[in-house]
Amino acid sequence: MKELVVISGKGGTGKTSLLASFAALAKNAVCADCDVDAADLHLILSPAVLSSTGFWSGHEAVIRRKDCIQCGSCFTHCRFSAVQKMKGSEAAEFSIDPVSCEGCGVCVRFCPVKAIDFPEKKCGEWFLSRTRFGPMVHARLGIAAENSGKLVTVVRKEARRLAQEAGSDLILVDGPPGIGCAAIASISGASFVVVVTEPTLSGEHDLERVLSLTRHFGIRTAVCVNKWDLNQDMADRIERKALVSGCQALERISYDRNVTAAQVNGKAVVEYRDCPAAQDIRKGWQTVCHMIG
């Protein structure tokens, strides 16, 4: 079983559009959207959700008002300003802001009457779905929730399980941008990584950071310059740097308004119209298939 991950140094480079087209071109593949902080692959693949499961990770402090003696110990020891004094009451009543709470448990430890509960926190949910291109696993992280790396791991694990059950030989992963925990969780142990970038100075800089990450994990990597014809000199320079870094250059993708039109219509560009961008992506897919064997 092969696992192909498409990532980028920053958001908006076109990695999700590319992954959606790969899903349309692939046969017997399972899709996984690991950009859990800002998932949008579903906007193109229009999945029908078969099941949803809550994602629980970390803890959250909750004061039991009836048992609280208003001593202020929790307020004194909290270093994240999560414990707040309630206004408009005669006694010094306290509450905990769930958004500010880091789940460290210090308030629980120092409460003299043990009036603070410390339940596990629901950080989001993940879904098993069916798309017109096959099975899909995706997720949604809660507002201000953390542990996106753990949620990514859950999504990848379920995608592998689905692939084994369905006899699929390929998993297509839409990874998050950047080099943070979620990106690391998306690419570690992958078979092949495609990095999508743009022919700009910021695109070049962000690409260098991402390539240092894939080199660290020893993952075979190819670089795809999207909208290359907006700045051909910069596209040439980016590909030269990629080759020096030991990566391969994938077919460039032309700037094409049909990509936006396809998104508006909820389709991958390769299924929307036989346009220049679609032709470039088809060539790139053939190259990727050859690279990953």
Side-chain angles (χ1 to χ4, degrees), residues 169-285:
D169 53 7
L170 178 64
I171 299 174
L172 296 173
V173 177
D174 183 12
I179 57 173
C181 294
I184 293 172
S186 296
I187 69 171
S188 58
S191 307
F192 198 83
V193 168
V194 173
V195 182
V196 183
T197 188
E198 297 173 329
T200 62
L201 285 173
S202 61
E204 179 186 31
H205 175 263
D206 293 333
L207 175 65
E208 291 174 353
R209 299 168 68 218
V210 173
L211 293 184
S212 68
L213 187 65
T214 59
R215 282 197 305 271
H216 174 78
F217 287 101
I219 305 172
R220 290 189 300 153
T221 305
V223 173
C224 175
V225 182
N226 189 23
K227 294 177 277 193
W228 69 271
D229 42 350
L230 296 181
N231 191 334
Q232 183 172 351
D233 292 338
M234 180 59 73
D236 293 339
R237 192 165 99 178
I238 287 176
E239 287 187 346
R240 285 196 297 268
K241 282 195 172 183
L243 294 173
V244 171
S245 299
C247 302
Q248 297 170 286
L250 207 60
E251 272 74 9
R252 300 174 175 182
I253 302 175
S254 306
Y255 175 74
D256 193 337
R257 293 180 182 272
N258 285 293
V259 176
T260 302
Q263 292 173 338
V264 171
N265 285 274
K267 293 184 178 181
V269 65
V270 295
E271 65 172 335
Y272 177 71
R273 186 168 296 167
D274 188 24
C275 55
Q279 295 172 6
D280 296 336
I281 293 174
R282 290 180 186 277
K283 293 177 183 177
W285 172 247

Side-chain angles (χ1 to χ4, degrees), residues 123-169:
C123 297
E125 54 188 337
W126 55 271
F127 312 93
L128 297 179
S129 300
R130 180 180 64 251
T131 75
R132 59 189 181 279
F133 304 132
M136 175 179 172
V137 187
H138 50 121
R140 179 173 56 223
L141 198 64
I143 298 174
E146 298 182 355
N147 296 310
S148 57
K150 290 184 178 180
L151 183 52
V152 167
T153 300
V154 171
V155 172
R156 290 184 66 191
K157 180 180 178 181
E158 289 300 317
R160 293 191 189 106
R161 184 185 63 80
L162 272 183
Q164 290 177 347
E165 292 180 355
S168 300
D169 53 7

Side-chain angles (χ1 to χ4, degrees), residues 44-68:
I44 301 178
L45 300 191
S46 302
V49 176
L50 303 177
S51 65
S52 63
T53 305
F55 171 64
W56 300 79
S57 182
H59 293 80
E60 180 180 65
V62 181
I63 297 176
R64 297 195 309 276
R65 298 266 183 88
K66 63 178 182 178
D67 298 323
C68 178

